[in-house]
Amino acid sequence: MSLKEQMPKDAVSCFLNSGEFAEEITYITGAGASKIIKAVVVRYELAPAEENINRSLKKQAEVYIANDETSGVTTVNKKDDRITLKDTEGFEREARINDVVNHDDGMWYLMVGW
């Protein structure tokens, strides 16, 4: 088995394991279909919004999800897809996908904000 074949399996079994790093989030497609998946979420405190640097603040998080039809998603639409997750205080928030930072055969690396 090659490293390229092993990476998607390790992404799901190790990093996206609830006993290790992951938590459950809800991924909502632009068509309205929702799916509960596991993700690694790195939350940030308030940060200046890009468009209006001096006047508004927003919360952000990095989200890592599987690039897999069963345990994640195979396509990400920045314009229409949303993610529901808990913020730093534990409240459910619907987050917009601000950027697809990177993706490979194993995982998507997303920047989200609310």
Side-chain angles (χ1 to χ4, degrees), residues 37-108:
I37 59 175
K38 293 182 181 177
V40 175
V41 180
V42 180
R43 293 166 183 83
Y44 293 109
E45 293 300 320
L46 288 173
E50 294 171 13
E51 311 82 43
N52 198 356
I53 291 177
N54 296 321
R55 296 188 187 168
S56 63
L57 297 172
K58 65 178 181 176
K59 292 202 176 189
Q60 293 182 319
E62 293 177 6
V63 178
Y64 298 85
I65 57 176
N67 186 358
D68 178 77
E69 191 171 334
T70 306
S71 55
V73 296
T74 55
T75 60
V76 172
N77 182 336
K78 286 184 359 178
K79 181 179 175 252
D80 296 325
D81 293 357
R82 302 286 185 266
I83 294 173
T84 301
L85 50 79
K86 292 187 190 269
D87 66 9
T88 53
E89 288 88 33
F91 296 107
E92 289 280 328
R93 301 289 182 195
E94 184 175 283
R96 176 183 202 104
I97 299 170
N98 295 334
D99 197 14
V100 176
V101 179
N102 197 1
H103 77 282
D104 56 29
D105 291 340
M107 297 183 84
W108 290 93

